[in-house]
Amino acid sequence: NELQQVEEKLSAKESAVILLWGIPGIGKSTLGSKAFDRHSGKRSMFWYTFREWDTEGSFTSAFVGFLGSLGKGETSDALKRGHVTADLFVPKVNDLSDSEVVLFLDDVQKAGSQLGLLLSVLVDAVKASNSAKLLLMSRSIPPFFSKTSPGNFVTELTGLDREALKQLVAGAKTPEALRAVDESHGHPLLLKLMLSGGAGQSKGDIIEFIEREVYLTATPAERSVLELLSKFRHPVPADAMGSSEYEVVARLRQRALITEQEGGTSTHDLLKEFFSSRVSSEKRAELHRRAASYCEKHPQVEWKLDQAKHLAESDFLCWTQQHIATKPTTSAHDDARTLQLKQDLLEELLGYRLFARDLRNDQRLAPWNSAQRDQCPQRVFCLLRNHRLMARMYTRPVLTNR
């Protein structure tokens, strides 16, 4: 769908500036490359990948060289006369007009503030040319780009669905390929690494990639928000993030590390998995308690059931730490029993959640009056609470069986 949208804009007669943005490795450059290949040989195209050390001179030299190959020299002549960047708008418009040029700029987030004016002038020149196209690929929305400006189009890449991922594996139906599809969380880079190096090795590669490109570049406040969001299974409103400042959330949103959906704010499944694995058991228990405290404020059954899940997870993590502290030589049998308990507990919680949804929506309950139906979610929640308490009793070291 994203490629089709890009194709429609590139094939239109009028000029357009298109921004593809999303988290690292989500497929921005791949999508841009496919668009480039489809138009190769049909029109004049220019591809430039920014690097951290790029200057106005390095980009301008490559761009002017491209225009020269098309017989366009007004921008080059203006530079020779000593014109500064702000004075190059008209020469660039004249060079780009009636040429059906398509410009591809990759890794725009690396351009830096010193190239902001140059790129802003280029964007305006492309739109004023009435025929040229510009495709920007970036991990965040550039400061010089306005989503509401006429002629600007934005596409945020958030991951591929399962059917699209299956198409990427080129028809492979082996268990390894299908497992890679399921574990990639819609992330094409992770899928590629899994298929090329095996699941274990690829997990290490993608974790190192996220750690370098996301974790190490995030501030402590940004990490705290991502850690908390990793515990919510569904999008949550902004107030779920507690006292986090708006600027922190806005920065994460601009870097595509969190997304705003109909139900609130969330983060990519791959980032949830990463940040959840990077915190200690004590921290995870604290995050689950904070999530449970937020869920408690909502009367709907879904929130109550999520609250029970977070409380169960918190209790389990606290007990695990106490158990390790008091019995450092835990046997392999006890470890397996502990893991099985957690799996049974969460599966039963999920079963109760589905059961509660069925009760609420089942038309066979129509003869009940409204008061009886309103009591139904509370009864289900009581079952969950009792189950959590029974699970805590079961995990006491003195008990040997259920």
Side-chain angles (χ1 to χ4, degrees), residues 104-300:
F104 295 79
L105 303 185
D106 196 12
D107 282 344
V108 175
Q109 78 282 347
K110 296 181 180 180
S113 58
Q114 69 275 14
L115 296 179
L117 177 60
L118 182 149
L119 293 175
S120 178
V121 171
L122 179 61
V123 167
D124 292 338
V126 167
K127 291 193 288 186
S129 70
N130 296 322
S131 60
K133 312 291 191 301
L134 173 60
L135 181 63
L136 304 169
M137 292 155 278
S138 177
R139 296 178 186 174
S140 59
I141 299 179
F144 59 83
F145 184 90
S146 173
K147 295 191 292 184
T148 59
S149 178
N152 288 358
F153 304 93
V154 183
T155 298
E156 180 181 0
L157 302 184
T158 57
L160 304 176
D161 59 29
R162 194 172 190 274
E163 291 303 316
L165 289 171
K166 289 172 69 175
Q167 293 179 10
L168 284 182
V169 302
K173 298 186 181 298
T174 62
E176 292 78 12
L178 295 178
R179 177 188 172 198
V181 167
D182 290 333
E183 294 185 356
S184 62
H185 301 293
H187 199 292
L189 176 61
L190 177 55
L191 177 62
K192 179 180 179 181
L193 291 171
M194 281 184 166
L195 294 176
S196 62
Q201 179 181 349
S202 65
K203 279 284 185 179
D205 291 340
I206 199 66
I207 286 173
E208 180 182 353
F209 181 77
I210 295 177
E211 185 168 14
R212 181 181 68 251
E213 301 294 340
V214 177
Y215 185 81
L216 294 179
T217 60
T219 65
E222 292 170 344
R223 294 176 190 170
S224 296
V225 171
L226 292 170
E227 289 167 356
L228 181 58
L229 285 178
S230 72
K231 297 307 171 192
F232 288 104
R233 293 187 292 174
H234 312 291
V236 293
D239 59 343
M241 288 168 275
S243 59
S244 299
E245 296 182 357
Y246 173 79
E247 290 76 9
V248 175
V249 177
R251 286 198 301 269
L252 292 172
R253 179 70 180 88
Q254 192 166 9
R255 295 179 61 192
L257 298 180
I258 62 175
T259 58
E260 293 178 1
Q261 304 175 23
E262 183 177 355
T265 301
S266 185
T267 188
H268 197 278
D269 288 343
L270 195 62
L271 295 179
K272 286 185 179 182
E273 181 179 329
F274 175 85
F275 279 91
S276 181
S277 66
R278 280 297 185 273
V279 296
S280 64
S281 296
E282 294 88 345
K283 180 67 172 179
R284 285 203 300 272
E286 176 193 345
L287 293 172
H288 278 296
R289 286 194 295 271
R290 289 178 59 186
S293 177
Y294 179 77
C295 294
E296 188 178 11
K297 302 176 183 177
H298 299 269
Q300 295 88 348

